[in-house]
Amino acid sequence: MFRVNTELVLGGARSGKSSHAEYLAQTSGLDVIYIATATAGDEEMAARIAHHQQTRPNHWALVEEAVDLAGAIKRHSLPDNCLLIDCLTLWLTNCLFNDELALDWPGQKAALLAALAEAPGRVILVSNEVGQGIVPMGAMSRRFVDESGWLHQTIARQVDRVTFVTAGIPQILKGEA
C-alpha cells in the first residue's frame, strides 16, 4: 500500500482546500498539530482566523508560526503525529513583507524544503493556487505570484502526493488516492 508522508493541498480561495486537508488529518489516525501561519492584521482577517478555529477539532494542538516554518516542522514533527500547515501563501507573504527575511527568501525556502525532507511524521501543507489568473499589476504582486508558483512546483516535486481542490472536490495530481 502506498504510504503518504507528505502532501500538498492546493486550491483557490474558498475552494475547500482547508476542509479537505483537515479531513485528511482527522482520518490519519495520528495526533494532529495544526500550524497556523496567519496573522490578524485587520478585523476581516481576524474573522477568517476565528472561522478556521471554530471548525477545527478542539483536541488538536495549535502552533502559531508566521515566519519560522522550518523550525516549527523540526520542533513538532514526530513519527506518530500529523502536522497540518495552513497556509504556505500566508507564510510566503509574511516572509516577503518582513524586511529582514525578504532579503533571505531563498534561505527560508531552502530551510522549509530541508525540514520537509527530514520530517519523521506526516505533513500536510495547504496553499492557495494564485497563478491561474492574469498577470497582476505591480512588481510586488508579480513577485508574489512568481514566488508562490516556484514554491509550489518545488514542493510538488518533493512530496508524495499533490491534491488540487475545486468546488470542494479533491483531484489527485500526483500520488495515489
Side-chain angles (χ1 to χ4, degrees), residues 126-177:
V126 178
S127 198
N128 291 288
E129 179 52 64
V130 297
Q132 293 187 317
I134 60 171
V135 176
M137 293 180 64
M140 185 49 122
S141 296
R142 285 189 298 276
R143 179 173 183 210
F144 174 80
V145 170
D146 289 348
E147 295 293 350
S148 66
W150 293 325
L151 178 65
H152 293 160
Q153 289 178 49
T154 305
I155 289 174
R157 283 190 296 271
Q158 183 173 322
V159 298
D160 300 317
R161 183 166 55 201
V162 178
T163 304
F164 189 77
V165 181
T166 304
I169 302 170
Q171 304 161 68
I172 306 288
L173 302 179
K174 176 185 174 184
E176 298 178 20

Side-chain angles (χ1 to χ4, degrees), residues 5-6 73 85 111-121 123 125 155 158-159:
N5 197 52
T6 52
I73 292 169
I85 300 168
L112 171 65
L113 296 171
L116 284 175
E118 298 167 4
V123 181
L125 303 131
I155 289 174
Q158 183 173 322
V159 298

Side-chain angles (χ1 to χ4, degrees), residues 14 37-53 86-87 90 94 128:
R14 297 291 183 242
T37 63
T39 57
D42 57 34
E43 288 183 28
E44 187 270 340
M45 192 61 179
R48 283 178 179 262
I49 291 170
H51 170 75
H52 274 273
Q53 290 170 337
D86 199 352
C87 91
L90 289 174
N94 296 338
N128 291 288

Side-chain angles (χ1 to χ4, degrees), residues 7 23 42 57 74 85 89 105 107 112 174:
E7 179 166 3
Y23 169 80
D42 57 34
K74 289 178 183 179
I85 300 168
T89 44
W105 165 243
L112 171 65
K174 176 185 174 184

